[in-house]
Amino acid sequence: MADLKQPYSAAQAAAADPAGAIREAVCIDTSRVYDSCADKDCLSDLRVLFTTNAQAVINEATSIRCHGSEILNAFIDVEEVPFNRGFYTVDITFFFRVTFDVFTQPLTPPTQVSGLCTFSKKCILYGSDGNVKVFSSKYRADESDDQLFRTSTNPRAKVQAVDPVCLDARLCDACNCCAPCCCNIPRCICNCFDGEFGTGAERQAVLVTLGLFSIIQLERDVQMLIPAYDFCMPEKECSCDTDDPCDIFKKIEFPVDEFFPPKSGQNGNGSCCCGQ
């Protein structure tokens, strides 16, 4: 890796490539990941909050089954760690919507209801130092070229996560479960549900266990010198001929896997992750 403190010319970049395909060294402004971590969290017995109408169904439930779960949003806060220069705490609060099949009477189809549960986690990552004040302008057509507000020197946190796996769901007496707090739910999260969240009329509660995979990283805007080979000119022609739908259908490959599901080991490396 080249020393960024020393000037790096296009001739040096070309000399570093034995094929001589590098045309020049280009300075770009991009985001660099300084630190990252990956987590596999098992979130046991999360209390699920329901709206008034959904809670009325839960109160009459005899059994429940988890139908699915999704991440609605994640609130992220980055703060500098005192006396540990260059390190930052990343506080993340996940908001999940969990859907249940609720059975209230024997031999009757279930009623589907959705509820909200939250999970907060914290990690410490290295984000380097930055004491500069960043100012930039953004041009807008037919408007004045106003100066934008200066940005913070703290690194940006990015969280990547897939929708959690619902591992378990069970009913319990509302008096034996921790009482939820409905006063701190952001309005943007409440708008994802029909009705208002409230407490006081719960006879039964729902506890759910979720499996969550996530990647957390800290990044900063930096100027980096990279080798440039050439401009990327698209080689594929734009196809706009859609007059005959049958011709388009003929180009679609036959879905063999839909008719003949592959055997175990043909999708991926064939390794088994089950317990022996």
Side-chain angles (χ1 to χ4, degrees), residues 29-158:
D29 191 353
T30 186
S31 297
R32 174 184 173 181
V33 178
Y34 277 83
D35 200 2
S36 62
C37 62
D39 268 342
K40 182 174 67 174
D41 297 303
C42 184
L43 318 179
S44 300
D45 292 341
L46 295 179
R47 175 72 181 268
V48 183
L49 303 178
F50 294 98
T51 59
T52 304
N53 294 335
Q55 183 61 50
V57 178
I58 295 297
N59 289 339
E60 304 298 328
T62 57
S63 63
I64 60 171
R65 179 179 62 200
C66 188
H67 184 80
S69 59
E70 62 174 324
I71 301 174
L72 293 176
N73 209 334
F75 288 3
I76 310 171
D77 186 44
V78 179
E79 295 292 340
E80 189 174 1
V81 177
F83 312 111
N84 202 351
R85 187 172 182 180
F87 287 85
Y88 298 82
T89 60
V90 182
D91 293 280
I92 310 164
T93 300
F94 291 96
F95 296 87
F96 307 107
R97 173 163 53 195
V98 188
T99 305
F100 302 94
D101 292 328
V102 183
F103 298 87
T104 56
Q105 294 180 358
L107 304 178
T108 58
T111 303
Q112 197 169 93
V113 299
S114 296
L116 170 69
C117 58
T118 64
F119 169 67
S120 298
K121 67 178 301 180
K122 176 186 292 186
C123 64
I124 298 178
L125 296 175
Y126 178 74
S128 188
D129 294 324
N131 296 319
V132 297
K133 298 179 180 179
V134 182
F135 299 89
S136 63
S137 62
K138 183 177 181 180
Y139 174 75
R140 300 176 182 175
D142 302 326
E143 294 185 13
S144 59
D145 190 13
D146 292 332
Q147 194 81 12
L148 299 181
F149 293 107
R150 65 183 178 91
T151 59
S152 171
T153 58
N154 279 359
R156 292 185 304 273
K158 180 183 292 185

Side-chain angles (χ1 to χ4, degrees), residues 165-183:
V165 181
C166 192
L167 302 175
D168 183 45
R170 61 186 178 91
L171 293 168
C172 67
D173 193 329
C175 297
N176 298 330
C177 299
C178 296
C181 180
C182 301
C183 57

Side-chain angles (χ1 to χ4, degrees), residues 241-268:
D241 186 11
T242 58
D243 295 335
D244 191 350
C246 290
D247 290 341
I248 299 177
F249 179 74
K250 291 178 182 178
K251 298 178 181 178
I252 301 177
E253 296 183 0
F254 193 87
V256 179
D257 290 341
E258 298 296 329
F259 291 88
F260 305 98
K263 295 184 296 182
S264 176
Q266 292 185 356
N267 283 341

Side-chain angles (χ1 to χ4, degrees), residues 198-268:
T199 59
E202 296 91 348
R203 295 199 304 270
Q204 292 194 110
V206 175
L207 299 180
V208 67
T209 299
L210 303 176
L212 178 65
F213 296 91
S214 62
I215 295 177
I216 307 168
Q217 57 193 42
L218 282 184
E219 58 183 27
R220 284 183 180 273
D221 289 337
V222 296
Q223 291 76 42
M224 301 186 69
L225 199 63
I226 64 170
Y229 295 89
D230 206 341
F231 293 102
C232 49
M233 183 66 183
E235 298 179 358
K236 180 180 179 181
E237 295 183 359
C238 299
S239 177
C240 301
D241 186 11
T242 58
D243 295 335
D244 191 350
C246 290
D247 290 341
I248 299 177
F249 179 74
K250 291 178 182 178
K251 298 178 181 178
I252 301 177
E253 296 183 0
F254 193 87
V256 179
D257 290 341
E258 298 296 329
F259 291 88
F260 305 98
K263 295 184 296 182
S264 176
Q266 292 185 356
N267 283 341

